[in-house]
Amino acid sequence: MSGQVRHHRPIRKLVGRTLPLAALLALIATFALTLQVRQVRVSGTRRFPARDVENVLRTALGSPTITTRAGTLRARVRAVPWVDDATVRVSLDGVVTCAVVERVPVAVAVDAGVRRLVDREGRLLTTVESVSSLLLLTGFAPFPEERETLLAVVPALEQAWGGKLEHAERVGPHDVALHFADGSPTVLADPDQPEELAGARRVLAAWTARQTVPLRLDARVPGRVAVLPASIPPEEEE
């Protein structure tokens, strides 16, 4: 009898140690099922709709808070084109909060009638209904690297010309037609040589001092500016 008692004691001890652990695991599982993601909150949006980020975060609704990874949600939010960065937190009470940093649009790219905001790095952010006061870009859709190159030198182009650039058209590799807000004629230029616009500006000033405003200036060849004169209507017969 005593041998059987001694044989059962280790089993009782093992059961006594296992039961609290099992109860703890069951409690954790119940706790995890009870505390689920139930709400998302987005802050930091000014130019763009918060619903774009909310839709991404709503994929976590119903998930246990202790297994929902803030890092995973942050990566998904950063995949939204207009989001530059994001901070995501998941609270135990089931609320996901996200503070976003927006990309800054500097231009509107138009392709096949569709208008999209573009940031300084040439990234397409989102569509817009109408053209704003931002720089207008046309013809760059198949050439994103050229769009990026142009946007990087816009400040230099404006400084060399002495006015705000309003519209840039791609006319060929390294060739753009520039339209400035001051109403001056179209200027053909090479974005890699923005300094040539200063010479084109001087030529325009000298030309208009004696003749009518030309139709176009071509400053693509370093050190030279070609002028396309305005057509002169024939004199009316007396």
Side-chain angles (χ1 to χ4, degrees), residues 38-107:
R38 56 182 176 79
Q39 186 180 8
V40 298
R41 299 173 183 171
V42 177
S43 62
T45 56
R46 295 186 297 112
R47 303 180 184 89
F48 302 96
R51 65 176 178 273
D52 291 350
V53 176
E54 292 170 350
N55 290 338
V56 172
L57 297 176
R58 285 195 181 103
T59 60
L61 292 176
S63 302
T65 57
I66 62 174
T67 60
T68 302
R69 298 289 179 261
T72 300
L73 293 177
R74 176 176 179 264
R76 293 175 183 173
V77 170
R78 293 192 66 190
V80 175
W82 55 263
V83 173
D84 185 28
D85 202 356
T87 301
V88 178
R89 292 185 175 86
V90 181
S91 63
L92 286 178
D93 62 352
V95 179
V96 175
T97 58
C98 177
V100 300
V101 178
E102 300 175 326
R103 297 189 183 277
V104 179
V106 298

Side-chain angles (χ1 to χ4, degrees), residues 11-185:
I11 297 177
R12 291 175 181 175
K13 289 181 180 180
L14 179 61
V15 172
R17 293 174 181 175
T18 303
L19 284 177
L21 179 60
L24 178 61
L25 292 175
L27 180 61
I28 292 175
T30 302
F31 186 71
L33 291 175
T34 303
L35 297 182
Q36 297 178 338
V37 176
R38 56 182 176 79
Q39 186 180 8
V40 298
R41 299 173 183 171
V42 177
S43 62
T45 56
R46 295 186 297 112
R47 303 180 184 89
F48 302 96
R51 65 176 178 273
D52 291 350
V53 176
E54 292 170 350
N55 290 338
V56 172
L57 297 176
R58 285 195 181 103
T59 60
L61 292 176
S63 302
T65 57
I66 62 174
T67 60
T68 302
R69 298 289 179 261
T72 300
L73 293 177
R74 176 176 179 264
R76 293 175 183 173
V77 170
R78 293 192 66 190
V80 175
W82 55 263
V83 173
D84 185 28
D85 202 356
T87 301
V88 178
R89 292 185 175 86
V90 181
S91 63
L92 286 178
D93 62 352
V95 179
V96 175
T97 58
C98 177
V100 300
V101 178
E102 300 175 326
R103 297 189 183 277
V104 179
V106 298
V108 176
V110 180
D111 179 48
V114 179
R115 302 174 178 88
R116 294 181 176 86
L117 293 176
V118 185
D119 71 356
R120 181 66 67 185
E121 287 73 37
R123 295 183 181 88
L124 298 176
L125 306 182
T126 188
T127 58
V128 289
E129 293 297 328
S130 59
V131 177
S132 64
S133 59
L134 297 175
L135 171 64
L136 182 65
L137 304 176
T138 55
F140 290 92
F143 310 97
E145 67 287 347
E146 293 186 27
R147 179 174 59 225
E148 181 181 356
T149 298
L150 174 68
L151 289 171
V153 299
V154 165
L157 292 169
E158 293 181 334
Q159 182 178 6
W161 183 258
K164 178 179 174 57
L165 183 60
E166 191 172 59
H167 181 196
E169 302 175 78
R170 183 189 184 275
V171 296
H174 306 290
D175 294 335
V176 292
L178 306 177
H179 307 269
F180 290 90
D182 58 8
S184 55

